[in-house]
Amino acid sequence: MKPSLKKIGSQTIVLTGASSGVGLVTARKAAALGAKLVLVARSEESLHKLAEELREGGAEVITVPADVGKQEDVARVAQAAIERFGGFDTWVNNAGVTIFGRHSDVPLEDQRRLFDTNYWGTVHGSLAAAAHLREHGGAIINIGSEASDGPLPLQSAYAASQHAIKGFTDSLRLELEQEKAPVSVTLVKPAGLETPLVTHAKNFLDVEPRLPPPLYDPALAADAILFAAEHPRRDMFVGGAAKAFSAAAYHAPHTFDRFMSRFMGRAQQSRHPAGPIDDNALYGGGSGMQERTGNRAALQSCPYTSTARHPLLATALVVGASAAMAAVLQSRRGRGGPAG
């Protein structure tokens, strides 16, 4: 059964990781469009502040402090949504953390904790959502990363969790399609975003970490989430850099690996000495109510991301670009120049 999704203003949306970064931007945008919200994060204080802000604007909001790595907490979120609003239409699995450091320096305990939040949080949320939406219809939106499609040095546990999220999301989608369940399942894969992800990370490097450029504004990811909540999509890239990352990793893996090994380690390290290793949000709620760090410039728009909402136009542009590249290469061969 083809999913039929409501307009945002008629939806109840469950949103994890709601107190900062992409989750916070999404909550504010969804509330402005009239959605009812079930906000989920580990910090009860941050959730309370956000709920007060959104209610002042007329939004209907409930908050559920929860650790998405615990299945019983996520079950409590679903039950709260059903009791307060009679159910939900979209469930967004957005909670995520990262760790910087060489794989041999990161304790297995910390890697498991990262998986509890990133992977198991997505699994717990998706299963709770699917149990309700099988009968009522709606959307499950999982937030992955460009790292879902390729390797990422110095963030090996994070990259592994993103690959796991992609594998689970794609398999869940297939099974729901086999059941003819009226559920849209979307994986959103952003490039680097100017959010507090890095400041919340646990860091085993000698210097402060950073995300390599280009960085995109988290509002672009929030817009993609809300678009997918209304329009069934298999996956959506946020930022042309994310699409380029994925394409390069798939079509030219050896060249991609050489590039990553040569440049990506250095690109993720600043020149500032590392701060206290305990200053992170791996095991507890981080400083909430912060959409962006404000430390680096971010791209406010992206033609590719806008075009990707219209598959036929995006395909036409990709085909046109490929034809133009082929023509250039053929011309160079005809002149006897190097073919690349």
Side-chain angles (χ1 to χ4, degrees):
M1 183 183 299
K2 185 177 181 180
S4 178
L5 306 180
K6 302 176 183 176
K7 294 295 184 183
I8 295 297
S10 300
Q11 289 199 28
T12 297
I13 299 176
V14 178
L15 177 61
T16 72
S19 64
S20 68
V22 171
L24 181 55
V25 180
T26 304
R28 287 169 169 159
K29 282 178 172 283
L33 292 170
K36 300 179 180 69
L37 294 172
V38 181
L39 303 177
V40 184
R42 288 178 292 185
S43 172
E44 185 172 5
E45 180 183 357
S46 295
L47 287 176
H48 178 69
K49 289 179 180 177
L50 178 57
E52 282 191 337
E53 172 197 319
L54 299 182
R55 286 171 185 148
E56 286 178 1
E60 292 187 60
V61 179
I62 63 170
T63 62
V64 187
D67 182 341
V68 297
K70 299 177 180 178
Q71 187 175 14
E72 60 272 23
D73 279 18
V74 175
R76 205 163 33 81
V77 172
Q79 188 59 37
I82 292 169
E83 290 177 356
R84 175 63 178 83
F85 297 117
F88 50 86
D89 304 287
T90 294
W91 185 299
V92 183
N93 290 304
N94 170 70
V97 293
T98 192
I99 301 172
F100 286 88
R102 298 187 65 80
H103 65 274
S104 56
D105 295 334
V106 180
L108 291 180
E109 176 186 9
D110 288 345
Q111 297 188 45
R112 291 191 178 101
R113 176 56 184 172
L114 180 147
F115 259 77
D116 282 343
T117 299
N118 294 8
Y119 175 70
W120 286 110
T122 297
V123 171
H124 295 156
S126 296
L127 296 181
H132 177 75
L133 296 177
R134 277 187 179 94
E135 301 298 325
H136 303 276
I140 298 171
I141 302 173
N142 293 338
I143 311 306
S145 162
E146 60 186 1
S148 301
D149 294 334
L152 194 59
L154 302 185
Q155 293 187 72
S156 59
Y158 177 79
S161 73
Q162 298 306 316
H163 279 65
I165 288 169
K166 181 180 185 297
F168 170 77
T169 302
D170 290 346
S171 298
L172 173 66
R173 184 188 303 108
L174 288 177
E175 292 181 6
L176 289 172
E177 288 177 353
Q178 288 175 337
E179 297 172 24
K180 295 182 168 44
V183 184
S184 171
V185 180
T186 302
L187 180 63
V188 177
K189 296 185 281 190
L193 301 173
E194 210 286 281
T195 69
L197 178 70
V198 172
T199 57
H200 290 170
K202 190 164 187 179
N203 178 34
F204 290 89
L205 302 175
D206 294 330
V207 295
E208 283 295 297
R210 64 178 185 177
L211 294 181
L215 296 185
Y216 295 86
D217 191 277
L220 296 178
D223 289 341
I225 290 168
L226 296 179
F227 181 85
E230 292 184 335
H231 306 87
R233 290 290 187 273
R234 185 181 190 279
D235 51 31
M236 293 185 70
F237 290 95
V238 177
K243 179 62 176 177
F245 182 101
S246 175
Y250 181 81
H251 292 290
H254 298 297
T255 302
F256 181 82
D257 284 353
R258 288 196 296 272
F259 173 84
M260 294 292 283
S261 63
R262 182 173 180 182
F263 297 108
M264 193 53 66
R266 187 188 322 149
Q268 294 181 89
Q269 300 180 67
S270 73
R271 297 181 179 180
H272 305 290
I277 194 170
D278 293 331
D279 184 13
N280 65 79
L282 184 61
Y283 289 91
S287 55
M289 297 298 289
Q290 187 179 14
E291 294 180 349
R292 306 160 179 84
T293 66
N295 295 330
R296 298 174 64 185
L299 297 175
Q300 305 294 313
S301 63
C302 174
Y304 172 81
T305 302
S306 299
T307 303
R309 299 180 186 180
H310 309 283
L312 292 178
L313 178 58
T315 300
L317 289 175
V318 170
V319 170
S322 300
M325 180 60 71
V328 169
L329 292 176
Q330 184 63 37
S331 173
R332 293 176 67 183
R333 290 190 186 100
R335 295 195 306 265

